[in-house]
Amino acid sequence: MATGRTHRPATRSRGIPEATVARLPLYLRALTALSERSVPTVSSEELAAAAGVNSAKLRKDFSYLGSYGTRGVGYDVEYLVYQISRELGLTQDWPVVIVGIGNLGAALANYGGFASRGFRVAALIDADPAMAGKPVAGIAVQHTDELESIITGNGVSIGVIATPAGAAQQVCDRLVAAGVTSILNFAPTVLSVPEGVDVRKVDLSIELQILAFHEQRKAGEGERVALPIEGGDLEPSPGGSRGTEGERVALPIEGGAQAGPMARAGQDTGAAAGGRQQGPDGDVPAVMPA
Amino acid sequence: MATGRTHRPATRSRGIPEATVARLPLYLRALTALSERSVPTVSSEELAAAAGVNSAKLRKDFSYLGSYGTRGVGYDVEYLVYQISRELGLTQDWPVVIVGIGNLGAALANYGGFASRGFRVAALIDADPAMAGKPVAGIAVQHTDELESIITGNGVSIGVIATPAGAAQQVCDRLVAAGVTSILNFAPTVLSVPEGVDVRKVDLSIELQILAFHEQRKAGEGERVALPIEGGDLEPSPGGSRGTEGERVALPIEGGAQAGPMARAGQDTGAAAGGRQQGPDGDVPAVMPA
DNA sequence: CCATCTTTGTGCACGCGTTCACAAAGACAT
DNA sequence: ATGTCTTTGTGAACGCGTGCACAAAGATGG
Ligand SMILES: NC(=O)c1ccc[n+]([C@@H]2O[C@H](COP(=O)([O-])OP(=O)(O)OC[C@H]3O[C@@H](n4cnc5c(N)ncnc54)[C@H](O)[C@@H]3O)[C@@H](O)[C@H]2O)c1
Ligand SMILES: NC(=O)c1ccc[n+]([C@@H]2O[C@H](COP(=O)([O-])OP(=O)(O)OC[C@H]3O[C@@H](n4cnc5c(N)ncnc54)[C@H](O)[C@@H]3O)[C@@H](O)[C@H]2O)c1
């Protein structure tokens, strides 16, 4: 079920790099803050610091939008806010629907930042009949039966999925069929969508796991104090495991009855726990493209 | 997004690529599903499809962990689940605290997937005195005054921030000072943290803006058929930019006023598709999780 | 034991993204 | 005008991540 495509054809030539697009909102936020303080201009250095990025990167990002700065001075805050907003398509109104009004969906509906920048919650949809009509964040929840009419009726092109994982794909299909072409998915599932539909995913579980990885690495580093070289000290190495079936560690996992959550495999598996190799740190997108 | 900051001589050659680490949870989820269905083995092709990635990429990812597959057969599901879990550090228990039990914080606390994979909500913390003692998701909310003792007392190294943007940095500082070295931030702010601390950010607003960008582009593409060139048009050219003052639009703003971001350490933005930036690597001794 | 078929593991090339470093543009002072 | 100073915009180098293509490992069948 390969999810949708990831990159666009060649039409990209004139486009703005994805990495840059992902940072524009960040710049916009920093600029908005400056705007509120009536700061007239900012240098790439200052703005970069506020946005938490490298100034060269910021300048290059802006260069994709055009030459909006003034050498020797910096960038006009108001003007840049406008340009970025326009580039991101925030100068128009985007009706959004949230499907699955449970814990998360309700929280999202109540989120103020939602409507603050061109996004408007057009409707809240849930499959639970008991929820129908019930107001959440000032908006009456509507039943899934009306999903299609809501989408087409309001010209919604962005949908947020906050249903259980099991219902996500189904909801996704209906949204797409009704005309939605951009989806923000909170359910822990890989959504399959036709070409032309963008899917971005927010997965708390994955974020935590990535943090755990680094956390473990940090801890491991501390223990290996006495280790001389950092190069070749793996452990019951991969290469070695080859050849001998019997060498495979006895899995602490319960044979085939393990249902539910993954087995919390035996704690530190002997050698394993020891020094983990360290890896680059840095990061990865919290959200991934479809 | 996440940690970024100073970066270091990327000489850490023995590590697993960040991009790979970010995908491991995805593979793990797919594998867990297979495991529940008692599927004994999977080929890279099948698993890749389930995880929504390219099979070659998957094989390369696994190759960083070791040679855990069998040519002509595929990978042993149970064994791989164990190996990935161990690599991600999920074979141990990670106590986590959530700070800011509002709409979002409460939803997070109620999220089951949280505890399903080695993560345990050790405590819920909020500054509102009225919340103290109140049970959320079966756990009594504790007041911020106890933040430090909770962290040290439970050996917490991972913290989740779900407070308003204005309080995020302050909360972050306290968490870090108390010993937390990994933070998942939901507040729309750039957090400044000392070296060695990882920060990952989940920002709904940014996700929507990115979707809006693509959405606008899709719409524009269809209309622009008749338009001439797309290079430099629609806009006041660089030099003459000053002329179109009147066109500027006042934009609605979102909270998130940030004080002096004088931070030395910058943070990155997670981008989307392509490559990620590499980051620093924490040298600061981490706190050993219990 | 050999032949054939399947699937892994990876060398390699390519493209994107990041960062450095600097020429040039413009502001400002004289 | 001319000189100096500040800051942009970007060419170029580099490193990472991706995906192709294929040799080799191992299973399977004769
Ligand atoms: N709560 C969190 O913090 C959190 C974090 C990360 C991911 N998630 C994911 O987000 C999703 C929602 O989480 P939650 O805690 O809000 O769950 P929840 O059970 O509280 O809410 C799910 C809601 O979806 C509705 N629903 C079910 N099937 C539906 C369908 N076919 N169409 C429309 N609505 C439907 C249910 O009636 C319910 O109201 C889950 O997939 C969860 O894994 C939640
Ligand atoms: N709700 C969402 O869907 C959503 C989505 C994206 C981002 N966010 C962000 O997440 C954060 C929380 O959102 P929310 O909707 O839950 O807000 P909320 O106002 O409902 O909850 C905030 C909670 O934080 C507590 N708090 C305030 N200052 C604190 C402090 N110094 N220490 C500890 N607790 C403190 C408050 O008492 C309150 O309970 C905000 O920054 C918001 O921008 C929310």
Side-chain angles (χ1 to χ4, degrees):
Chain A
M1 55 163 42
T3 315
R5 257 313 40 70
T6 300
H7 57 204
R8 278 238 125 0
T11 324
R12 251 307 190 250
S13 46
R14 262 311 146 217
I16 299 174
E18 263 306 301
T20 294
V21 172
R23 280 188 294 268
L24 291 181
L26 219 50
Y27 300 144
L28 183 55
R29 182 174 291 153
L31 285 166
T32 300
L34 290 173
S35 175
E36 289 177 348
R37 290 194 290 150
S38 300
V39 176
T41 62
V42 269
S43 66
S44 61
E45 204 67 54
E46 300 170 312
L47 186 55
V53 304
N54 178 298
S55 70
K57 189 187 293 182
L58 177 146
R59 287 199 299 279
K60 179 144 290 188
D61 282 341
F62 285 174
S63 77
Y64 291 117
L65 308 184
S67 292
Y68 298 146
T70 302
R71 297 176 191 228
V73 177
Y75 299 88
D76 180 288
V77 175
E78 297 300 323
Y79 188 60
L80 206 45
V81 164
Y82 167 66
Q83 289 299 340
I84 295 179
S85 296
R86 187 175 57 74
E87 200 64 58
L88 288 173
L90 305 181
T91 52
Q92 59 182 285
D93 187 68
W94 292 104
V96 175
V97 294
I98 300 177
V99 186
I101 313 304
N103 288 306
L104 184 60
L108 294 176
N110 279 300
Y111 181 44
F114 219 123
S116 70
R117 228 180 264 292
F119 299 99
R120 176 171 54 80
V121 178
L124 301 180
I125 304 174
D126 199 288
D128 186 351
M131 294 284 291
K134 208 172 152 190
V136 172
I139 302 175
V141 175
Q142 291 175 278
H143 191 269
T144 355
D145 289 345
E146 305 175 67
L147 190 149
E148 285 74 16
S149 63
I150 294 172
I151 301 295
T152 57
N154 296 62
V156 176
S157 55
I158 300 178
V160 176
I161 297 178
T163 66
Q169 183 62 61
Q170 182 190 355
V171 168
C172 173
D173 292 341
R174 290 183 62 180
L175 287 174
V176 172
V180 166
T181 47
S182 283
I183 293 176
L184 182 52
N185 179 36
F186 283 87
T189 320
V190 175
L191 291 181
S192 183
V193 296
E195 182 132 343
V197 175
D198 283 304
V199 175
R200 291 189 69 82
K201 162 179 70 178
V202 173
D203 197 317
L204 172 63
S205 181
I206 287 182
E207 295 309 316
L208 285 176
Q209 288 176 49
I210 294 174
L211 284 177
F213 171 83
H214 292 300
E215 202 57 46
Q216 182 185 44
R217 194 169 57 66
K218 291 177 199 167
E221 241 170 53
E223 296 165 5
R224 61 206 321 253
V225 196
L227 291 179
I229 307 178
E230 60 176 283
D233 66 303
L234 287 196
E235 51 180 86
S237 170
S241 65
R242 148 156 319 311
T244 325
E245 282 294 343
E247 219 184 289
R248 287 194 173 178
V249 184
L251 299 180
I253 297 179
E254 54 295 18
Q258 79 311 46
M262 78 130 269
R264 101 177 317 5
Q267 286 281 28
D268 326 307
T269 307
R276 262 275 33 97
Q277 63 260 61
Q278 72 276 71
D281 185 284
D283 57 14
V284 168
V287 179
M288 316 177 55
Chain B
M1 31 228 41
T3 340
R5 184 183 18 308
T6 351
H7 87 149
R8 179 159 325 252
T11 327
R12 302 329 169 100
S13 51
R14 249 335 107 186
I16 298 175
E18 264 308 298
T20 294
V21 172
R23 280 189 294 270
L24 291 182
L26 220 50
Y27 301 144
L28 184 56
R29 181 173 293 154
L31 285 166
T32 300
L34 291 173
S35 175
E36 289 176 352
R37 289 193 291 148
S38 300
V39 176
T41 62
V42 269
S43 66
S44 61
E45 204 67 54
E46 301 170 313
L47 185 55
V53 304
N54 179 296
S55 69
K57 188 187 296 181
L58 176 146
R59 286 199 298 278
K60 180 148 291 185
D61 283 339
F62 286 173
S63 77
Y64 292 117
L65 307 184
S67 292
Y68 297 147
T70 301
R71 299 176 189 227
V73 177
Y75 300 89
D76 180 287
V77 174
E78 296 301 324
Y79 187 60
L80 207 44
V81 164
Y82 167 66
Q83 289 298 340
I84 294 179
S85 295
R86 185 174 57 76
E87 200 64 59
L88 287 173
L90 305 181
T91 52
Q92 59 182 285
D93 188 68
W94 294 103
V96 175
V97 295
I98 300 177
V99 185
I101 314 302
N103 289 305
L104 184 60
L108 294 176
N110 279 300
Y111 182 43
F114 219 121
S116 72
R117 228 180 265 291
F119 300 99
R120 177 171 53 82
V121 179
L124 301 181
I125 305 174
D126 199 287
D128 185 353
M131 294 284 292
K134 208 172 152 191
V136 171
I139 302 175
V141 175
Q142 290 176 277
H143 191 269
T144 355
D145 290 344
E146 304 175 67
L147 190 150
E148 284 75 15
S149 63
I150 293 173
I151 300 295
T152 57
N154 296 64
V156 176
S157 55
I158 299 178
V160 176
I161 297 179
T163 66
Q169 183 61 62
Q170 183 191 352
V171 168
C172 173
D173 292 341
R174 290 182 63 180
L175 287 174
V176 172
V180 167
T181 47
S182 283
I183 293 175
L184 182 51
N185 179 36
F186 283 86
T189 320
V190 175
L191 292 181
S192 183
V193 296
E195 182 135 341
V197 175
D198 282 305
V199 175
R200 291 189 69 81
K201 160 179 73 176
V202 174
D203 197 316
L204 171 63
S205 181
I206 287 181
E207 295 309 316
L208 284 176
Q209 288 175 48
I210 294 173
L211 284 178
F213 171 84
H214 293 301
E215 202 57 46
Q216 182 184 45
R217 204 153 59 69
K218 290 178 199 166
E221 245 169 51
E223 300 163 6
R224 115 130 67 93
V225 186
L227 292 180
I229 309 239
E230 56 179 301
D233 47 332
L234 350 150
E235 274 323 302
S237 179
S241 59
R242 290 297 146 78
T244 358
E245 289 292 355
E247 240 189 86
R248 293 186 182 176
V249 179
L251 300 176
I253 304 162
E254 173 186 6
Q258 149 141 16
M262 61 119 314
R264 37 27 155 28
Q267 272 175 278
D268 305 334
T269 325
R276 235 340 26 65
Q277 62 263 47
Q278 82 308 29
D281 62 347
D283 305 301
V284 178
V287 175
M288 259 307 275

